[in-house]
PDB file of all heavy atoms in Angstrom:
ATOM      1  N   LEU A  44      19.662 -16.908   2.578  1.00 95.00           N
ATOM      2  CA  LEU A  44      20.584 -17.965   2.960  1.00 95.00           C
ATOM      3  C   LEU A  44      20.342 -19.217   2.414  1.00 95.00           C
ATOM      4  O   LEU A  44      21.363 -19.951   2.007  1.00 95.00           O
ATOM      5  CB  LEU A  44      20.563 -17.959   4.559  1.00 95.00           C
ATOM      6  CG  LEU A  44      21.144 -16.860   5.294  1.00 95.00           C
ATOM      7  CD1 LEU A  44      20.731 -16.798   6.803  1.00 95.00           C
ATOM      8  CD2 LEU A  44      22.652 -16.645   5.027  1.00 95.00           C
ATOM      9  N   GLN A  45      19.111 -19.694   2.357  1.00 96.00           N
ATOM     10  CA  GLN A  45      18.910 -21.051   1.706  1.00 96.00           C
ATOM     11  C   GLN A  45      19.323 -20.970   0.258  1.00 96.00           C
ATOM     12  O   GLN A  45      19.931 -22.026  -0.179  1.00 96.00           O
ATOM     13  CB  GLN A  45      17.339 -21.372   1.816  1.00 96.00           C
ATOM     14  CG  GLN A  45      16.947 -21.720   3.367  1.00 96.00           C
ATOM     15  CD  GLN A  45      15.490 -21.742   3.323  1.00 96.00           C
ATOM     16  OE1 GLN A  45      14.726 -21.413   2.408  1.00 96.00           O
ATOM     17  NE2 GLN A  45      14.916 -22.173   4.568  1.00 96.00           N
ATOM     18  N   ARG A  46      19.162 -19.978  -0.413  1.00 96.00           N
ATOM     19  CA  ARG A  46      19.485 -19.875  -1.840  1.00 96.00           C
ATOM     20  C   ARG A  46      20.995 -19.855  -1.956  1.00 96.00           C
ATOM     21  O   ARG A  46      21.629 -20.458  -2.886  1.00 96.00           O
ATOM     22  CB  ARG A  46      18.975 -18.650  -2.569  1.00 96.00           C
ATOM     23  CG  ARG A  46      17.466 -18.883  -2.788  1.00 96.00           C
ATOM     24  CD  ARG A  46      16.865 -17.601  -3.489  1.00 96.00           C
ATOM     25  NE  ARG A  46      15.457 -17.779  -3.617  1.00 96.00           N
ATOM     26  CZ  ARG A  46      14.610 -16.628  -3.439  1.00 96.00           C
ATOM     27  NH1 ARG A  46      15.074 -15.613  -3.064  1.00 96.00           N
ATOM     28  NH2 ARG A  46      13.396 -16.967  -3.501  1.00 96.00           N
ATOM     29  N   LEU A  47      21.755 -19.139  -1.038  1.00 96.00           N
ATOM     30  CA  LEU A  47      23.145 -19.085  -1.076  1.00 96.00           C
ATOM     31  C   LEU A  47      23.758 -20.468  -0.869  1.00 96.00           C
ATOM     32  O   LEU A  47      24.712 -20.870  -1.473  1.00 96.00           O
ATOM     33  CB  LEU A  47      23.735 -18.192   0.037  1.00 96.00           C
ATOM     34  CG  LEU A  47      23.465 -16.648  -0.294  1.00 96.00           C
ATOM     35  CD1 LEU A  47      23.861 -15.889   1.063  1.00 96.00           C
ATOM     36  CD2 LEU A  47      24.238 -16.094  -1.376  1.00 96.00           C
ATOM     37  N   VAL A  48      23.186 -21.303   0.091  1.00 96.00           N
ATOM     38  CA  VAL A  48      23.663 -22.680   0.359  1.00 96.00           C
ATOM     39  C   VAL A  48      23.219 -23.509  -0.900  1.00 96.00           C
ATOM     40  O   VAL A  48      24.112 -24.321  -1.321  1.00 96.00           O
ATOM     41  CB  VAL A  48      22.870 -23.262   1.670  1.00 96.00           C
ATOM     42  CG1 VAL A  48      23.215 -24.819   1.664  1.00 96.00           C
ATOM     43  CG2 VAL A  48      23.297 -22.578   2.913  1.00 96.00           C
ATOM     44  N   ARG A  49      22.093 -23.369  -1.494  1.00 97.00           N
ATOM     45  CA  ARG A  49      21.771 -24.185  -2.598  1.00 97.00           C
ATOM     46  C   ARG A  49      22.826 -23.946  -3.789  1.00 97.00           C
ATOM     47  O   ARG A  49      23.184 -24.854  -4.511  1.00 97.00           O
ATOM     48  CB  ARG A  49      20.310 -23.791  -3.045  1.00 97.00           C
ATOM     49  CG  ARG A  49      19.811 -24.405  -4.346  1.00 97.00           C
ATOM     50  CD  ARG A  49      18.757 -23.716  -4.912  1.00 97.00           C
ATOM     51  NE  ARG A  49      19.083 -22.474  -5.603  1.00 97.00           N
ATOM     52  CZ  ARG A  49      18.241 -21.482  -5.719  1.00 97.00           C
ATOM     53  NH1 ARG A  49      17.045 -21.479  -5.530  1.00 97.00           N
ATOM     54  NH2 ARG A  49      18.781 -20.264  -6.185  1.00 97.00           N
ATOM     55  N   ASP A  50      23.174 -22.625  -3.999  1.00 97.00           N
ATOM     56  CA  ASP A  50      24.136 -22.229  -5.011  1.00 97.00           C
ATOM     57  C   ASP A  50      25.549 -22.480  -4.600  1.00 97.00           C
ATOM     58  O   ASP A  50      26.414 -22.110  -5.495  1.00 97.00           O
ATOM     59  CB  ASP A  50      23.787 -20.818  -5.373  1.00 97.00           C
ATOM     60  CG  ASP A  50      22.423 -20.593  -5.859  1.00 97.00           C
ATOM     61  OD1 ASP A  50      21.841 -21.539  -6.312  1.00 97.00           O
ATOM     62  OD2 ASP A  50      21.947 -19.453  -5.935  1.00 97.00           O
ATOM     63  N   GLY A  51      25.845 -23.048  -3.472  1.00 97.00           N
ATOM     64  CA  GLY A  51      27.194 -23.351  -3.148  1.00 97.00           C
ATOM     65  C   GLY A  51      28.008 -21.998  -2.706  1.00 97.00           C
ATOM     66  O   GLY A  51      29.230 -22.110  -2.609  1.00 97.00           O
ATOM     67  N   LEU A  52      27.373 -20.936  -2.486  1.00 96.00           N
ATOM     68  CA  LEU A  52      28.014 -19.683  -2.011  1.00 96.00           C
ATOM     69  C   LEU A  52      28.189 -19.560  -0.623  1.00 96.00           C
ATOM     70  O   LEU A  52      28.944 -18.790  -0.084  1.00 96.00           O
ATOM     71  CB  LEU A  52      27.379 -18.546  -2.608  1.00 96.00           C
ATOM     72  CG  LEU A  52      27.160 -18.581  -4.142  1.00 96.00           C
ATOM     73  CD1 LEU A  52      26.181 -17.364  -4.625  1.00 96.00           C
ATOM     74  CD2 LEU A  52      28.396 -18.457  -4.884  1.00 96.00           C
ATOM     75  N   ALA A  53      27.430 -20.361   0.136  1.00 96.00           N
ATOM     76  CA  ALA A  53      27.444 -20.335   1.676  1.00 96.00           C
ATOM     77  C   ALA A  53      27.297 -21.846   2.054  1.00 96.00           C
ATOM     78  O   ALA A  53      26.746 -22.622   1.300  1.00 96.00           O
ATOM     79  CB  ALA A  53      26.491 -19.368   2.307  1.00 96.00           C
ATOM     80  N   GLU A  54      27.583 -22.100   3.327  1.00 96.00           N
ATOM     81  CA  GLU A  54      27.224 -23.536   3.878  1.00 96.00           C
ATOM     82  C   GLU A  54      26.862 -23.346   5.229  1.00 96.00           C
ATOM     83  O   GLU A  54      27.237 -22.365   5.916  1.00 96.00           O
ATOM     84  CB  GLU A  54      28.350 -24.403   3.538  1.00 96.00           C
ATOM     85  CG  GLU A  54      29.749 -24.027   4.266  1.00 96.00           C
ATOM     86  CD  GLU A  54      30.868 -24.883   3.731  1.00 96.00           C
ATOM     87  OE1 GLU A  54      30.743 -25.540   2.787  1.00 96.00           O
ATOM     88  OE2 GLU A  54      31.886 -24.809   4.337  1.00 96.00           O
ATOM     89  N   VAL A  55      26.345 -24.419   5.850  1.00 94.00           N
ATOM     90  CA  VAL A  55      25.842 -24.512   7.226  1.00 94.00           C
ATOM     91  C   VAL A  55      27.107 -24.836   8.010  1.00 94.00           C
ATOM     92  O   VAL A  55      27.729 -25.932   7.613  1.00 94.00           O
ATOM     93  CB  VAL A  55      24.706 -25.421   7.387  1.00 94.00           C
ATOM     94  CG1 VAL A  55      24.400 -25.572   8.873  1.00 94.00           C
ATOM     95  CG2 VAL A  55      23.508 -24.971   6.675  1.00 94.00           C
ATOM     96  N   GLU A  56      27.407 -24.095   8.918  1.00 91.00           N
ATOM     97  CA  GLU A  56      28.489 -24.457   9.812  1.00 91.00           C
ATOM     98  C   GLU A  56      28.184 -25.330  11.058  1.00 91.00           C
ATOM     99  O   GLU A  56      28.812 -26.103  11.410  1.00 91.00           O
ATOM    100  CB  GLU A  56      29.208 -23.136  10.341  1.00 91.00           C
ATOM    101  CG  GLU A  56      30.542 -23.540  11.109  1.00 91.00           C
ATOM    102  CD  GLU A  56      31.343 -22.247  11.341  1.00 91.00           C
ATOM    103  OE1 GLU A  56      32.264 -22.047  10.520  1.00 91.00           O
ATOM    104  OE2 GLU A  56      31.150 -21.723  12.427  1.00 91.00           O
ATOM    105  N   GLY A  57      26.900 -25.015  11.474  1.00 88.00           N
ATOM    106  CA  GLY A  57      26.465 -25.692  12.658  1.00 88.00           C
ATOM    107  C   GLY A  57      25.113 -25.253  13.066  1.00 88.00           C
ATOM    108  O   GLY A  57      24.556 -24.179  12.638  1.00 88.00           O
ATOM    109  N   THR A  58      24.494 -25.985  14.029  1.00 87.00           N
ATOM    110  CA  THR A  58      23.316 -25.495  14.660  1.00 87.00           C
ATOM    111  C   THR A  58      23.454 -25.690  16.152  1.00 87.00           C
ATOM    112  O   THR A  58      24.002 -26.559  16.656  1.00 87.00           O
ATOM    113  CB  THR A  58      22.147 -26.449  14.193  1.00 87.00           C
ATOM    114  OG1 THR A  58      22.100 -26.379  12.849  1.00 87.00           O
ATOM    115  CG2 THR A  58      20.882 -26.007  14.715  1.00 87.00           C
ATOM    116  N   ALA A  59      22.934 -24.610  16.853  1.00 82.00           N
ATOM    117  CA  ALA A  59      23.053 -24.608  18.329  1.00 82.00           C
ATOM    118  C   ALA A  59      21.790 -23.867  18.884  1.00 82.00           C
ATOM    119  O   ALA A  59      21.317 -23.086  18.237  1.00 82.00           O
ATOM    120  CB  ALA A  59      24.378 -23.921  18.850  1.00 82.00           C
ATOM    121  N   SER A  60      21.457 -24.260  20.179  1.00 77.00           N
ATOM    122  CA  SER A  60      20.367 -23.470  20.802  1.00 77.00           C
ATOM    123  C   SER A  60      20.711 -22.740  21.861  1.00 77.00           C
ATOM    124  O   SER A  60      20.099 -21.735  22.131  1.00 77.00           O
ATOM    125  CB  SER A  60      19.313 -24.632  21.257  1.00 77.00           C
ATOM    126  OG  SER A  60      19.870 -25.351  22.351  1.00 77.00           O
ATOM    127  N   ASP A  61      21.801 -22.936  22.559  1.00 75.00           N
ATOM    128  CA  ASP A  61      22.264 -22.083  23.725  1.00 75.00           C
ATOM    129  C   ASP A  61      21.143 -21.693  24.676  1.00 75.00           C
ATOM    130  O   ASP A  61      20.987 -20.443  25.023  1.00 75.00           O
ATOM    131  CB  ASP A  61      22.984 -20.771  23.138  1.00 75.00           C
ATOM    132  CG  ASP A  61      24.170 -21.061  22.454  1.00 75.00           C
ATOM    133  OD1 ASP A  61      24.864 -22.154  22.803  1.00 75.00           O
ATOM    134  OD2 ASP A  61      24.587 -20.301  21.511  1.00 75.00           O
ATOM    135  N   GLY A  62      20.226 -22.641  25.000  1.00 75.00           N
ATOM    136  CA  GLY A  62      19.158 -22.451  25.787  1.00 75.00           C
ATOM    137  C   GLY A  62      18.082 -21.683  25.307  1.00 75.00           C
ATOM    138  O   GLY A  62      16.942 -21.526  25.863  1.00 75.00           O
ATOM    139  N   GLY A  63      18.130 -21.186  23.988  1.00 75.00           N
ATOM    140  CA  GLY A  63      16.977 -20.530  23.324  1.00 75.00           C
ATOM    141  C   GLY A  63      16.601 -21.322  22.105  1.00 75.00           C
ATOM    142  O   GLY A  63      16.826 -22.489  22.105  1.00 75.00           O
ATOM    143  N   PRO A  64      15.978 -20.597  21.180  1.00 79.00           N
ATOM    144  CA  PRO A  64      15.625 -21.141  19.927  1.00 79.00           C
ATOM    145  C   PRO A  64      16.862 -21.731  19.146  1.00 79.00           C
ATOM    146  O   PRO A  64      17.894 -21.167  19.223  1.00 79.00           O
ATOM    147  CB  PRO A  64      14.897 -20.107  19.141  1.00 79.00           C
ATOM    148  CG  PRO A  64      15.213 -18.839  19.755  1.00 79.00           C
ATOM    149  CD  PRO A  64      15.614 -19.143  21.179  1.00 79.00           C
ATOM    150  N   GLU A  65      16.581 -22.894  18.406  1.00 81.00           N
ATOM    151  CA  GLU A  65      17.771 -23.324  17.597  1.00 81.00           C
ATOM    152  C   GLU A  65      18.073 -22.337  16.497  1.00 81.00           C
ATOM    153  O   GLU A  65      17.301 -21.777  15.834  1.00 81.00           O
ATOM    154  CB  GLU A  65      17.297 -24.656  17.054  1.00 81.00           C
ATOM    155  CG  GLU A  65      18.426 -25.400  16.394  1.00 81.00           C
ATOM    156  CD  GLU A  65      17.986 -26.848  15.945  1.00 81.00           C
ATOM    157  OE1 GLU A  65      17.564 -26.889  14.780  1.00 81.00           O
ATOM    158  OE2 GLU A  65      18.062 -27.735  16.849  1.00 81.00           O
ATOM    159  N   ARG A  66      19.422 -22.134  16.385  1.00 87.00           N
ATOM    160  CA  ARG A  66      19.882 -21.150  15.444  1.00 87.00           C
ATOM    161  C   ARG A  66      20.984 -21.911  14.548  1.00 87.00           C
ATOM    162  O   ARG A  66      21.880 -22.588  15.032  1.00 87.00           O
ATOM    163  CB  ARG A  66      20.611 -20.048  16.117  1.00 87.00           C
ATOM    164  CG  ARG A  66      19.584 -19.149  16.707  1.00 87.00           C
ATOM    165  CD  ARG A  66      19.994 -17.756  17.068  1.00 87.00           C
ATOM    166  NE  ARG A  66      18.949 -17.006  17.553  1.00 87.00           N
ATOM    167  CZ  ARG A  66      19.035 -16.040  18.406  1.00 87.00           C
ATOM    168  NH1 ARG A  66      20.205 -15.513  18.710  1.00 87.00           N
ATOM    169  NH2 ARG A  66      18.005 -15.341  18.886  1.00 87.00           N
ATOM    170  N   THR A  67      20.897 -21.661  13.290  1.00 91.00           N
ATOM    171  CA  THR A  67      21.827 -22.248  12.311  1.00 91.00           C
ATOM    172  C   THR A  67      22.768 -21.217  11.914  1.00 91.00           C
ATOM    173  O   THR A  67      22.348 -20.022  11.629  1.00 91.00           O
ATOM    174  CB  THR A  67      21.013 -22.703  11.099  1.00 91.00           C
ATOM    175  OG1 THR A  67      20.026 -23.742  11.331  1.00 91.00           O
ATOM    176  CG2 THR A  67      22.046 -23.402  10.055  1.00 91.00           C
ATOM    177  N   THR A  68      24.107 -21.669  12.005  1.00 93.00           N
ATOM    178  CA  THR A  68      25.115 -20.701  11.677  1.00 93.00           C
ATOM    179  C   THR A  68      25.630 -20.980  10.207  1.00 93.00           C
ATOM    180  O   THR A  68      25.875 -22.170   9.861  1.00 93.00           O
ATOM    181  CB  THR A  68      26.264 -20.909  12.719  1.00 93.00           C
ATOM    182  OG1 THR A  68      25.770 -20.542  13.959  1.00 93.00           O
ATOM    183  CG2 THR A  68      27.399 -19.908  12.473  1.00 93.00           C
ATOM    184  N   TYR A  69      25.783 -19.927   9.535  1.00 95.00           N
ATOM    185  CA  TYR A  69      26.218 -20.058   8.027  1.00 95.00           C
ATOM    186  C   TYR A  69      27.618 -19.450   7.948  1.00 95.00           C
ATOM    187  O   TYR A  69      27.975 -18.512   8.724  1.00 95.00           O
ATOM    188  CB  TYR A  69      25.262 -19.340   7.164  1.00 95.00           C
ATOM    189  CG  TYR A  69      23.842 -19.938   7.202  1.00 95.00           C
ATOM    190  CD1 TYR A  69      23.021 -19.452   8.239  1.00 95.00           C
ATOM    191  CD2 TYR A  69      23.415 -20.832   6.270  1.00 95.00           C
ATOM    192  CE1 TYR A  69      21.623 -20.013   8.266  1.00 95.00           C
ATOM    193  CE2 TYR A  69      22.250 -21.389   6.328  1.00 95.00           C
ATOM    194  CZ  TYR A  69      21.300 -20.994   7.365  1.00 95.00           C
ATOM    195  OH  TYR A  69      20.018 -21.517   7.412  1.00 95.00           O
ATOM    196  N   ARG A  70      28.339 -19.910   6.963  1.00 95.00           N
ATOM    197  CA  ARG A  70      29.482 -19.313   6.601  1.00 95.00           C
ATOM    198  C   ARG A  70      29.616 -19.221   4.988  1.00 95.00           C
ATOM    199  O   ARG A  70      29.170 -20.165   4.397  1.00 95.00           O
ATOM    200  CB  ARG A  70      30.786 -19.956   7.279  1.00 95.00           C
ATOM    201  CG  ARG A  70      31.033 -21.271   6.728  1.00 95.00           C
ATOM    202  CD  ARG A  70      32.309 -21.842   7.378  1.00 95.00           C
ATOM    203  NE  ARG A  70      32.679 -23.099   6.874  1.00 95.00           N
ATOM    204  CZ  ARG A  70      33.533 -23.208   5.727  1.00 95.00           C
ATOM    205  NH1 ARG A  70      33.943 -22.239   5.072  1.00 95.00           N
ATOM    206  NH2 ARG A  70      33.828 -24.553   5.340  1.00 95.00           N
ATOM    207  N   SER A  71      30.532 -18.286   4.651  1.00 95.00           N
ATOM    208  CA  SER A  71      30.624 -18.150   3.146  1.00 95.00           C
ATOM    209  C   SER A  71      31.632 -19.271   2.707  1.00 95.00           C
ATOM    210  O   SER A  71      32.528 -19.718   3.495  1.00 95.00           O
ATOM    211  CB  SER A  71      31.419 -16.673   2.825  1.00 95.00           C
ATOM    212  OG  SER A  71      31.498 -16.614   1.403  1.00 95.00           O
TER     213      SER A  71
END
Side-chain angles (χ1 to χ4, degrees):
L44 285 169
Q45 290 169 354
R46 289 182 185 137
L47 290 172
V48 169
R49 177 198 68 200
D50 297 343
L52 303 174
E54 60 191 15
V55 174
E56 182 169 271
T58 304
S60 67
D61 294 330
E65 190 172 90
R66 293 198 173 152
T67 301
T68 302
Y69 299 85
R70 69 178 185 84
S71 181

